[in-house]
């Protein structure tokens, strides 16, 4: 469930992030901080902003504790190295080739390794390969994957190559350098939080503590790998999903560092919400995509109004299905709820759907969780009722 109207805190948050990522900034570590990219006002983000409004000593201690835990985890992982022969050979092999197109996709479920089409790009990867382009598919892992399943996948007969980003194949030196650089940025924002008073100071404090949060650190480690692959493969195009996240901009910037002539393409594949910000925010030229491929004409018109002065917009449509006819859907007395992958939102949505099912027993209520969501953890708090079910069918 999205927040319907932007709050005062959300507006101040946007101004703060825009000031941090202005045209005068060249700092990739600030660019890569996830908190400085307000995608949309979710329940999770709103909770953070509310807590920062009247920040308590306990909340500050929690933030500091989370930082130290993140630091310890990062230091632990710099000593880990993946020595699995097939994974290392896979990286060596792809770095020997030249690719016309690199697709950056996401691993959210191991079932993806058994599918003939990509979860995010659908049949676009296959069709690009069949047209004679040399293609590399790169997965960003969002789950702890079974490397054996990936090994089976890369051995499958396909017309394109695949690679799985892995923080444990980056060198000790590169990881340590990243940690030191992130700690320097943390200190800058920590000092900034002392200089400016009020809500902006609290936003600066949260930004400081977030530099070494797990997802932030991993994005930089994955960025190092992307940089290395672009350098070795001399790739002409890199295509990412495009939703306004920090890693997208970071990957464009790092790709251009190794190949100034590369085309950076963002595929807008989801709904653009009314108060979404970072998706349509223009940053420095080297941080923006060259092209945005939209999922429909309405979205194209919206994007053209916002960013077409600096970014070319093309309508691609949805390549997730190549079926010419839709199957007839039985829609009698059924309602399907589809929450996003954020845990807080999924719980809120589930609670609403469950209470709705209790009130309207004549309706069949289905809830379809995002593949990344731990549905068992969320659903265990709700008793069984006849008209409330989890959907596991393909959408």
């Amino acid at each position: 469930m999205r927040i319907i109207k932007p709050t005062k805190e959300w507006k101040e948050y946007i101004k703060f992030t825009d000031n941090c990522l202005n045209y005068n900034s060249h700092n990739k570590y600030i660019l890569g901080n996830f908190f400085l990219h307000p995608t949309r006002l979710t329940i999770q983000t709103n909770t953070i902003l509310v807590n920062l409004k009247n920040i308590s000593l306990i909340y500050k201690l929690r933030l500091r504790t989370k930082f130290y835990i993140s630091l310890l985890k990062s230091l632990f992982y710099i000593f880990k190295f993946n020595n699995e022969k097939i994974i290392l050979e896979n990286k060596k092999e792809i770095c020997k080739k030249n690719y016309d197109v690199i697709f950056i996709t996401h691993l959210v479920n191991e079932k993806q390794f058994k599918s003939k089409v990509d979860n995010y790009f659908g049949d676009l990867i296959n069709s690009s390969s069949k047209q004679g382009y040399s293609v590399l598919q790169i997965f960003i892992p969002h789950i702890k994957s079974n490397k054996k399943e990936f090994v089976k996948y890369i051995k499958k007969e396909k017309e394109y190559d695949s690679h799985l980003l892995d923080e444990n194949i980056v060198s000790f030196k590169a990881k340590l350098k990243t940690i030191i650089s992130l700690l320097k940025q943390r200190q800058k924002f920590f000092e900034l939080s002392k200089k400016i008073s009020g809500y902006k100071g609290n936003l600066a404090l949260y930004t400081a503590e977030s530099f070494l949060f797990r997802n932030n650190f991993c994005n930089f480690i994955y960025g190092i790998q992307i940089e290395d692959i672009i350098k070795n493969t001399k790739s002409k195009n890199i295509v990412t999903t495009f939703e306004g996240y920090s890693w997208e901009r970071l990957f464009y910037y790092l790709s251009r560092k190794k190949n100034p002539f590369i085309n950076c393409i963002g595929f807008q594949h989801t709904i653009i919400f009314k108060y979404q910000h970072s998706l349509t925010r223009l940053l420095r030229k080297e941080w923006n995509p060259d092209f945005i491929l939209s999922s429909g004409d309405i979205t194209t018109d919206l994007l053209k109004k916002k960013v077409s002065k600096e970014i070319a917009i093309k309508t691609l449509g949805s390549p997730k299905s190549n079926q010419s006819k839709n199957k007839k859907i039985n829609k009698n007395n059924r309602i399907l709820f589809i929450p996003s992958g954020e845990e807080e939102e999924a719980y809120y949505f589930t609670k609403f759907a469950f209470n709705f099912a209790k009130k309207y027993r004549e309706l069949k209520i289905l809830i379809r969780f995002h593949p990344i969501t731990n549905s068992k953890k969320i659903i265990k708090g709700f008793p069984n009722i006849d008209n409330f079910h989890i959907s596991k069918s393909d959408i």
Side-chain angles (χ1 to χ4, degrees), residues 230-244:
I230 296 294
K231 175 185 175 183
N232 286 287
T233 61
K234 300 177 175 62
S235 303
K236 300 172 184 176
N237 302 278
I238 182 170
V239 185
T240 75
T241 51
F242 192 61
E243 298 179 67

Side-chain angles (χ1 to χ4, degrees), residues 135-393:
V135 174
L136 174 63
Q137 172 195 43
I138 297 181
F139 289 99
I140 299 175
H142 298 276
I143 58 169
K144 275 191 174 181
S145 61
N146 184 337
K147 295 296 189 294
K148 289 181 181 178
E149 292 299 320
F150 178 68
V151 169
K152 289 179 187 176
Y153 181 73
I154 60 177
K155 285 183 175 180
K156 281 173 67 175
E157 191 173 332
K158 308 191 300 293
E159 294 187 36
Y160 55 88
D161 295 330
S162 301
H163 181 64
L164 177 65
L165 296 177
D166 186 337
E167 63 183 295
N168 295 324
I169 60 175
V170 174
S171 71
F172 170 88
K173 184 178 179 182
K175 289 179 186 176
L176 183 60
K177 182 182 177 183
T178 301
I179 290 173
I180 292 170
S181 298
L182 290 172
L183 285 173
K184 287 180 180 177
Q185 298 310 313
R186 175 186 178 269
Q187 187 58 34
K188 285 181 182 179
F189 273 83
F190 191 62
E191 290 172 1
L192 179 64
S193 71
K194 294 178 179 178
K195 291 179 182 177
I196 54 178
S197 59
Y199 196 61
K200 287 183 181 178
N202 295 339
L203 289 168
L205 175 65
Y206 189 92
T207 306
E209 302 291 30
S210 68
F211 271 102
L212 266 173
F213 284 0
R214 184 85 184 124
N215 59 333
N216 210 59
F217 176 69
C218 283
N219 285 344
F220 280 96
I221 301 305
Y222 295 151
I224 290 169
Q225 293 171 65
I226 294 296
E227 206 173 5
D228 190 45
I229 290 168
I230 296 294
K231 175 185 175 183
N232 286 287
T233 61
K234 300 177 175 62
S235 303
K236 300 172 184 176
N237 302 278
I238 182 170
V239 185
T240 75
T241 51
F242 192 61
E243 298 179 67
Y245 293 118
S246 58
W247 66 266
E248 299 158 355
R249 307 287 189 148
L250 183 65
F251 283 14
Y252 301 150
Y253 170 73
L254 295 175
S255 297
R256 288 186 176 114
K257 275 188 69 180
K258 297 303 176 184
N259 179 6
F261 304 104
I262 194 169
N263 284 316
C264 296
I265 304 165
F267 172 44
Q268 175 275 319
H269 64 104
T270 58
I271 296 170
I272 298 180
F273 295 93
K274 185 175 181 180
Y275 299 111
Q276 204 149 3
H277 182 67
S278 56
L279 176 71
T280 55
R281 176 173 61 176
L282 288 170
L283 301 175
R284 295 183 63 84
K285 189 175 181 180
E286 60 267 35
W287 295 352
N288 296 325
D290 296 295
F291 302 93
I292 297 177
L293 303 177
S294 83
S295 56
D297 292 333
I298 294 175
T299 308
T300 297
D301 291 341
L302 189 152
L303 289 169
K304 281 184 176 179
K305 290 176 183 177
K306 297 276 187 177
V307 299
S308 62
K309 290 181 180 179
E310 295 189 30
I311 302 172
I313 315 295
K314 308 277 185 181
T315 303
L316 175 67
S318 176
K320 293 185 180 182
S321 174
N322 56 8
Q323 296 177 4
S324 57
K325 293 182 179 180
N326 291 325
K327 294 179 181 178
K328 190 175 180 180
I329 299 171
N330 179 7
K331 58 184 180 180
N332 293 334
N333 296 328
R334 293 187 181 191
I335 299 177
L336 175 64
F337 290 83
I338 309 177
S340 75
E342 294 170 356
E343 188 172 319
E344 285 188 47
E345 178 172 321
Y347 176 79
Y348 187 91
F349 221 128
T350 305
K351 185 178 178 181
F352 177 82
F354 178 80
N355 289 332
F356 192 87
K358 278 178 66 178
K359 186 174 182 179
Y360 299 98
R361 301 304 292 262
E362 71 279 10
L363 299 176
K364 185 175 182 180
I365 306 302
L366 302 171
I367 186 161
R368 173 60 182 254
F369 290 104
H370 192 284
I372 202 171
T373 304
N374 186 346
S375 57
K376 290 181 181 179
K377 179 182 175 183
I378 291 172
I379 210 71
K380 70 179 182 181
F382 298 90
N384 292 329
I385 56 175
D386 294 339
N387 64 326
F388 182 70
H389 302 279
I390 297 175
S391 170
K392 295 182 180 178
S393 304

